[in-house]
Each structure stands twice: as C-alpha cells, then as structure tokens.
Amino acid sequence: MGAMGDGEIAPIPGGITAARGVRAAGVHCGIKRQALDLALVASERPASVAVTCTTNQVAAAPILVCRRRLTAGRFAALVANSGNANACTGEGGLADAERMGELAAAVLGVPAEEVYVASTGVIGARLPMGKVEAGIRDAAARLSPEGGGEAAAAIMTTDTRVKEAAWEVRMPEGTFRVGGMAKGSGMIAPEMATMLAFVATDLSVPVPLLRRALQEAVAGTFNCITVDGDTSTNDMVLAFANGRAEIPAAAPASPALAAFERALREVCGELARMIVADGEGATKVVEVLVRGARSPAEARRVCLRIGNSPLVKTAFFGQDSNWGRIMAALGSAGVPVDPARVAIAVGDVSIVRGGVGLGAEAERAANERMRQRSFSVTVDLGLGEAECRIWTTDFTEAYVRINAAYRS
Amino acid sequence: MGAMGDGEIAPIPGGITAARGVRAAGVHCGIKRQALDLALVASERPASVAVTCTTNQVAAAPILVCRRRLTAGRFAALVANSGNANACTGEGGLADAERMGELAAAVLGVPAEEVYVASTGVIGARLPMGKVEAGIRDAAARLSPEGGGEAAAAIMTTDTRVKEAAWEVRMPEGTFRVGGMAKGSGMIAPEMATMLAFVATDLSVPVPLLRRALQEAVAGTFNCITVDGDTSTNDMVLAFANGRAEIPAAAPASPALAAFERALREVCGELARMIVADGEGATKVVEVLVRGARSPAEARRVCLRIGNSPLVKTAFFGQDSNWGRIMAALGSAGVPVDPARVAIAVGDVSIVRGGVGLGAEAERAANERMRQRSFSVTVDLGLGEAECRIWTTDFTEAYVRINAAYRS
C-alpha cells in the first residue's frame, strides 16, 4: 500500500484486461498441436504505446515490424502467437509478420500501423499463415474484457504456469489500473530464452512519459532476471495506455505519474519473479545481492556472473553452500576485486569473511537455508557503496531434459 | 609425421616421464578417501621452465607461489595434489603452499625456489599438511622413470580417464622427446573448472624460447577449449626443459626449435582434446569452426559464444540440429553480424544459407551426423577472412548430477 498522497495502490485479480477498455482472447489455431497458440489484445480506444525489445542482432521479423510502428506511438491492438518465433525466416517471414498485423487490423477495423505483432517458439520455420489468419478471425470474435487469462495462456511455450498481474491505484479523482501478462521460463540461459510481457493501463499517459516509465520499470525488474544486452531474437516488453479511466492524464511530476510508475514497477516485478519461479526445471528461486561494489555497473557484472554460473547454479540444486564456486565466479567477472575483503552469506548465515570460509558449522547452517524453495545469497565485495540484486534459479537435470527434447 | 628437414616427429607411448631425465610418482596420502591424491615430478638436472596460469583474480595459493618462482626460471621438481584446491585459504593457505614446496625440496635435496606447486579440488578448505608431508616422502621414495602414469592419475578430480601424451622428434643429431599429463573435465563451465597440464622435454630450451613456445601452444590448444580470460582459481600449464637429450640446445630460428614447437603443440593439443572428451557427463565432442569473420578476435568471440551456450549444448545432447539457437547465440556475441549472410553446416550438411533454414530434409541429414560421438559445426559469417576453431561438449543431465553432488 502506498501513502495516500500520491495514490493508494493495491493488487487486484486478473491480468491485461484488468485495465478498463481492454479486451483479449486466446485461441488454438493449429501452430501448436493442441494448446492455445494465438492471442489478440485490443484497446477500445487508440492508446499511447512504448516498447523495449531485444538487442540481439538476429532480431525476429515481428520485432522488426514493431520497430517500424514505434515512430507513430499509437496502439490499437496486439496479435501474438506461440509455437513459432518467426525468426531467421528472411524476407518471407518479414512479410508474414506484416501480414499478421494487417489481418488483425482488417478484422478489427483499425489502422495496420497501430497493430503490434509478437511471436515466440521455434526459430527458423515459416508461420502457417492460413492457420494464423483463421486464428485471428476466431480470436476477434471471442474478444472480451474477461479474456486476459486465455490470452496469457496462448503466449506460453515451455511455461508451466500462466503469468498475470494487476494493480489498482486510487487517486482523489478516481481509480486507474495497470494489468499485464508475460511468458518466459528459460532462466538458465536467459540471454536466449524469449521473454514477452504486455502491460495495459487505463490511465492516460503521453508517449514520452510512458517510454521513460517503462524503461525504468524494465531496468529494475525484467532486466534483473536477464543478461544485460544479451537477449533472445524475440524479446519484447510492450506497454499501452488508453485513458479509459477518464481521470486527468499523467503529467510530468504529477502524483498520477508517480503512482503509475509504482504500479507499473509492481506489475513488471511480479511478472518477472513469476518467470524466474517458472524457470525451466527450476526447483529454487534465488535472490543474488551484491553489495560493497565500486559502481552499480560493477555490482551488476558480478551479480550476473554469479547468477549465471552453471557451477554455482548446480550447487543451488544440490543445496550445497559451495562458496568456493561463488568466489571463483566473482573473481572472473572482469571487475577488480580483492578476495581478502569478500564476505558471503546465505540468508542470514555468514559463510565467508575476509575471503576465507567460516567453517563446517556455518556451512551446515547455510545448507539448511538452501533447503527452502526460495533463499538469498549476499556477497559483499567490501570496496564501495554500490549494489545490485537479481533473481535466478538453480540448474537441474530437468532443465537439460526439457531443452534437449524441446523440438523433438 | 613432419618433413625430414626440420625433424621427423611421431607419437610415442607414455606421458611426462617419456622425456628422459624425468622421474615421477603418484601416491595416496589421505586428502581423498581412497584414490591417488599426490603427484611428484622431478628432473634429474636443473631445467628451464615456463608457466601460464589463471587470470582469475581469486588466484589459489599454489598459483601465487609459482608466480614468485618464475623470475628465476629454473625447475627442479613439481609437487601437485588433488582433492583440495588450497584456494580461498588466506595467509595460512599461502604458508601451506610454500611449505609443500619446501618439504619436497628438502626430501629431494634441491632449492625450494626451484620446486613448483599445484593443487586442485575443493575450494576453501586448508590442506591436511601432516598427510601432505607423509605423501611427499612416500612419493619421493617411489620416484621412477616409469612413474608418469601414476602421477597423471594422482592429479585427477572428476576426470574419468588418465590424460597423457608424448611425441618423439628425430633430428640429424639425435632424438628428443616431449611428454605431458593433464587433468580437467568440467567443460560446461570451462571458466571455472580447474585445468592443470605439465609438460617435460629433454631438449635444452632457453627460458625465453620456452616461454614463447608455451604461450603459442596454449593459445591454439588449451585456450581453444576455455573462455578467454575467464579461468579457474587454480589453472596452470607448466613446461620444463632439462637438456638430458644431449643434443644442441634449441636456438632462435633453429630446426630444433621449430620441431620442438610442433611437438609441444601436438602434446598440448592431444591433452586438450582429452579434456574435452572427458567433459563432465559429456556424450559428444563438437568442433565449432567460425569462419568469414572480420578479425580473429571476433571469430573467437562468436566461437566461444556458440560453444558455451547451454541451449546450443543441450541441443547437441538431443542430437537436434536446432540452428535457431546457434543464430541466437551468434547474434548476441557482441560482434557485428549480418544475419542475411550467415551460413551454417553440421559436418558437410548445410542447414542454413543466407540466414534462412534449408528445410526439414537438410535438418534430418544434420541430425544423422549428430548421432556420432564427434562432429563439427561450421558457421560462416560472410563478412571477412578470419576464423577460429574450438572444441566443446554437449550438455547433459549427467553434468548436473555430477556438479550438484560434487562435495556431498
């Protein structure tokens, strides 16, 4: 709950259609054998939009299409499919992505430039456009203010759970809502596991303010579960704001903007943690906190180095406070460190001080903490004031099984 | 076989004691529960020496001791233990490493400054110095020109096979030999799995020439199975040359030096490939060749990005020519690429041209190649003339099992 002054904020049920004036649907069109595989989200009035997307130089066709849209900054609808990433599909794939947008635009009676497109799934296969076209028609006919859940289900790939979050903000002038959905579960190699998130608000937020708010929210949430600058071919986070709440638009430095930024961060944070918790084959969610770094950038490098180390992550799986692997990881992060200043704790149990282990008793207590499904690892570099926090998972045999068999 | 002019070169049986004037032994001193855990290697006459070692800032105590030795450039003996890395052990651990060298020096009657020390195993525990001392005495009593094999066995940790290689060079003036041993098997996270290699030659090679030859050999062999600049706390490659062959010393630009460099590269290459083949839980050895890069450095970055991607490596395990994961990896290597110029082949089967897949038939043929224990993946970036080749493994459930349980 926030202070009353700048908007009381609380979680509410639902996902993207928790925002008023948003309808959604999820259908099975046949890209996958059985499951829902096509989602449509439509705003009942033109909305402002902001997108952050992959920095991978091998960007998928829908990413290229969305980038073309961004200059206009207006959003009418989103069409997203799972089961096929439409990546590495050449000019033909690009035409398919454009066509996907055009088909949705035609069915909904909106300009094609305001329809965004996303895809996730196998790379390198062309979309079955006949099925996609039929799916878009079916989805348009099903659009509903209660359709958020099935839309969220339709963007899943190896996800085992639907990921939705929504918050409501109470302002003196009335309420507004922020709701969203996400997919993603390949947390071992986050740089290459597609992550999609779509967030809607019924507040009116001008494009420049929406862009800044989204960037800031992503930096502290989705980018804390992924490797900086190393993203999949299809990663995308999109936010749109349709003003349907009919309270005054967010203005620079206004209480509404501040409250919106907080609600957006909450929604993105919840969705990000859901992605980690649904990591492929994961049995643990681990918060890695690096403090005492000389700069935030250095803290982040060390944090990611530890959080992405297969040896550290297999030790998490083994419930083994093998801090030697953490020391080896932080020593190879490409950041100056002084081993003799390093302290490490699991939860509140110190296991290393001055770069040296505190003994078998401490390790046993730490192993005890690691039996929980969720725990934290804190590393103090002892060099400065900067810190960084990320969420990661353990690394399990099930991960290998899932990824070895994914296409077969 | 090389051309006669610069020395005929051929593999011979044995390892480090294939070089004349080298004795070795491996004993069980009790650091491990059962297996051999302490190796001693002695040169019957003072030798020149060169070492390349870890760039990890958390360097283990034996690494610090070896660095102190290097200014002298003289070698009498090496003492190495497995089961305990003597890393992150503070001042006490450093004293232990010095003491290990002093004990060996006293028993052998050589200067302590000429005794090198290496350790591998668990990080963060102090060495049981009483056991180490007894082990050094036992090993000294067992030293033998046939002891190379047991010394190689005594440095193993998760290795499943002893790793030895030796080559003989026939010169007009006589023959000389190069023999070595290595340990290492954590190829999934090569940056943190200790790799030790020790190579002896009975040629006389002055220190500066030996250093350069070792650097060049390591660059094309051990450094092609590991991540540049990202090494474990304990990695070390040491070469010594004792002149026992009694043929003229290698001189700059001499045929003997050229032949020695080739033989050293062969020995290091064999040992490096043995390490890959013994990768923890590995079922495949994969050669990743990146060509058509703008520079060797860019080729290497892309090569390592592909060869270290968990998603690519699980696809190797699944015998699935999932080239989309290779495209995603090369797009995020931090090197400019043009997807539309990329070609990919598995063995001699093209699966991608112009950044686009060549269809199900080609993929089936590629999957067929991937059923073999060993195959190659070639990526042509289509941007230049530079190339890089590395060896990697697949990523298996057994890897996770081994590393989750390693300490318990």
Side-chain angles (χ1 to χ4, degrees):
Chain A
M1 304 283 169
M4 275 299 291
D6 52 355
E8 190 176 335
I9 142 174
I12 56 173
I16 197 157
T17 48
R20 284 158 292 198
V22 178
R23 295 178 304 150
V27 299
H28 168 66
C29 75
I31 303 173
K32 291 178 178 172
R33 256 172 239 135
Q34 293 208 312
L36 298 183
D37 52 17
L38 190 130
L40 190 64
V41 177
S43 175
E44 73 177 35
R45 53 172 79 178
S48 60
V49 65
V51 176
T52 71
C53 60
T54 186
T55 56
N56 194 307
Q57 294 176 77
V58 182
I63 296 288
L64 301 177
V65 168
C66 287
R67 283 185 189 151
R68 290 179 186 170
R69 301 276 187 273
L70 277 175
T71 35
R74 278 164 67 96
F75 175 97
L78 162 80
V79 55
N81 73 275
S82 58
N84 183 316
N86 193 10
C88 304
T89 42
E91 288 299 318
L94 194 58
D96 292 344
E98 284 284 8
R99 179 97 187 109
M100 222 170 123
E102 286 159 10
L103 288 166
V107 172
L108 298 172
V110 297
E113 305 80 57
E114 298 181 11
V115 179
Y116 284 74
V117 182
S119 296
T120 177
V122 172
I123 297 180
R126 291 285 295 274
L127 279 170
M129 287 305 294
K131 292 175 180 174
V132 169
E133 180 165 2
I136 289 171
R137 282 182 205 290
D138 286 354
R142 282 182 65 81
L143 279 176
S144 138
E146 280 80 44
E150 66 182 41
I155 58 172
M156 290 164 65
T157 55
T158 53
D159 304 63
T160 65
R161 287 187 286 276
V162 167
K163 297 171 186 70
E164 294 189 286
W167 288 66
E168 186 172 73
V169 181
R170 186 168 302 278
M171 302 291 295
E173 311 89 335
T175 63
F176 69 87
R177 295 172 181 170
V178 180
M181 61 184 186
K183 66 91 29 179
S185 72
M187 289 312 303
I188 285 305
E191 69 270 31
M192 289 195 295
T194 291
M195 194 240 92
L196 298 177
F198 308 111
V199 181
T201 182
D202 47 25
L203 183 67
S204 174
V205 187
V207 169
L209 300 183
L210 186 60
R211 279 191 188 147
R212 213 195 47 201
L214 185 64
Q215 274 165 14
E216 284 174 9
V218 167
T221 57
F222 296 117
N223 274 352
C224 286
I225 56 165
T226 191
V227 174
D228 216 359
D230 288 339
T231 51
S232 99
T233 54
N234 291 61
D235 286 350
M236 183 195 298
V237 182
L238 178 148
F240 66 91
N242 67 11
R244 173 64 171 67
E246 291 175 351
I247 62 174
S254 67
L257 180 63
F260 169 68
E261 288 171 344
R262 282 173 41 226
L264 182 63
R265 217 159 35 227
E266 292 290 352
V267 168
C268 291
E270 266 192 81
L271 293 173
R273 284 187 293 274
M274 285 177 188
I275 289 174
V276 177
D278 198 16
E280 283 169 359
T283 69
K284 310 278 179 195
V285 176
V286 185
E287 180 188 276
V288 178
L289 170 63
V290 169
R291 57 161 60 120
R294 302 186 311 172
S295 72
E298 292 191 357
R300 186 170 168 81
R301 281 192 75 158
V302 174
C303 221
L304 289 170
R305 184 77 184 171
I306 295 168
N308 285 316
S309 156
L311 285 175
V312 170
K313 290 161 85 97
T314 46
F316 289 163
F317 177 48
Q319 302 179 149
D320 176 10
S321 56
N322 192 333
W323 55 266
R325 294 182 182 177
I326 297 174
M327 290 293 289
L330 68 88
S332 65
V335 160
V337 296
D338 178 354
R341 288 167 177 261
V342 173
I344 302 175
V346 175
D348 56 355
V349 180
S350 287
I351 50 173
V352 171
R353 202 171 297 143
V356 176
L358 295 175
E361 187 94 3
E363 288 185 27
R364 266 192 300 273
N367 294 350
E368 202 55 50
R369 293 289 181 292
M370 296 174 76
R371 298 229 167 80
Q372 296 161 353
R373 173 157 168 81
S374 170
F375 58 88
S376 68
V377 171
T378 304
V379 174
D380 193 328
L381 298 178
L383 298 175
E385 297 297 318
E387 61 181 52
C388 177
R389 184 187 310 264
I390 66 162
W391 287 270
T392 188
T393 59
D394 58 345
F395 202 168
T396 70
E397 292 162 83
Y399 168 83
V400 175
R401 218 156 37 230
I402 292 166
N403 280 298
Y406 182 50
R407 293 210 314 182
S408 47
Chain B
M1 306 284 169
M4 275 299 292
D6 53 353
E8 192 175 332
I9 140 172
I12 55 173
I16 197 158
T17 47
R20 284 159 291 197
V22 178
R23 294 178 305 150
V27 298
H28 168 66
C29 76
I31 303 173
K32 291 180 178 171
R33 255 172 240 134
Q34 293 208 311
L36 298 183
D37 52 16
L38 189 131
L40 191 63
V41 177
S43 176
E44 72 176 38
R45 54 172 80 179
S48 61
V49 64
V51 176
T52 70
C53 62
T54 186
T55 56
N56 194 307
Q57 294 175 78
V58 182
I63 296 289
L64 301 177
V65 168
C66 288
R67 283 185 188 150
R68 290 180 186 171
R69 301 277 186 273
L70 277 176
T71 33
R74 277 164 68 97
F75 176 96
L78 162 81
V79 54
N81 73 275
S82 58
N84 184 317
N86 193 10
C88 303
T89 43
E91 288 299 319
L94 194 56
D96 292 344
E98 284 283 8
R99 178 98 187 107
M100 222 170 125
E102 286 159 11
L103 288 166
V107 172
L108 298 172
V110 298
E113 304 81 57
E114 299 181 10
V115 178
Y116 285 73
V117 183
S119 296
T120 177
V122 172
I123 297 180
R126 290 286 294 276
L127 278 171
M129 288 306 294
K131 292 175 178 174
V132 168
E133 180 166 1
I136 289 172
R137 282 182 206 289
D138 286 354
R142 280 182 66 83
L143 279 176
S144 139
E146 279 79 45
E150 66 182 42
I155 57 173
M156 290 164 66
T157 54
T158 53
D159 304 63
T160 64
R161 287 187 286 276
V162 168
K163 297 171 185 70
E164 293 189 285
W167 287 66
E168 186 172 71
V169 182
R170 187 170 300 279
M171 303 290 293
E173 310 89 335
T175 63
F176 70 85
R177 294 173 181 169
V178 180
M181 61 184 187
K183 69 87 31 178
S185 73
M187 289 313 304
I188 285 305
E191 68 271 32
M192 288 192 296
T194 291
M195 194 238 93
L196 298 177
F198 307 112
V199 181
T201 183
D202 46 27
L203 184 66
S204 173
V205 187
V207 169
L209 300 183
L210 186 61
R211 280 192 186 145
R212 212 194 51 202
L214 185 65
Q215 274 166 14
E216 285 174 8
V218 167
T221 57
F222 296 116
N223 274 352
C224 285
I225 57 166
T226 192
V227 173
D228 218 358
D230 289 339
T231 51
S232 98
T233 54
N234 291 60
D235 286 351
M236 183 196 298
V237 182
L238 178 149
F240 65 92
N242 67 10
R244 173 62 171 67
E246 291 176 349
I247 62 174
S254 67
L257 180 64
F260 169 68
E261 288 172 345
R262 283 172 42 226
L264 183 64
R265 215 158 39 226
E266 291 292 351
V267 168
C268 290
E270 266 191 81
L271 293 173
R273 283 187 293 274
M274 285 176 188
I275 290 174
V276 177
D278 198 16
E280 284 169 359
T283 69
K284 309 277 180 196
V285 175
V286 186
E287 179 188 277
V288 178
L289 170 62
V290 170
R291 56 162 60 121
R294 302 186 311 173
S295 71
E298 291 191 359
R300 185 169 168 81
R301 282 193 75 155
V302 174
C303 221
L304 289 169
R305 185 77 184 172
I306 295 168
N308 285 315
S309 156
L311 285 174
V312 170
K313 290 161 84 98
T314 47
F316 290 162
F317 178 49
Q319 304 179 148
D320 177 10
S321 56
N322 192 332
W323 55 266
R325 294 183 182 176
I326 296 174
M327 291 293 288
L330 68 88
S332 65
V335 160
V337 296
D338 178 355
R341 287 166 178 261
V342 174
I344 301 175
V346 175
D348 56 355
V349 180
S350 288
I351 50 174
V352 171
R353 200 172 297 143
V356 177
L358 295 175
E361 186 94 3
E363 288 184 28
R364 266 193 300 275
N367 294 349
E368 201 55 50
R369 293 290 181 292
M370 295 174 76
R371 298 230 167 79
Q372 295 161 353
R373 173 155 168 84
S374 170
F375 58 87
S376 68
V377 171
T378 304
V379 174
D380 193 329
L381 298 177
L383 298 174
E385 297 297 318
E387 61 181 51
C388 178
R389 183 188 310 262
I390 65 161
W391 287 269
T392 189
T393 59
D394 58 346
F395 202 168
T396 70
E397 292 162 84
Y399 168 82
V400 175
R401 217 156 37 230
I402 292 166
N403 280 297
Y406 182 50
R407 291 211 314 183
S408 47

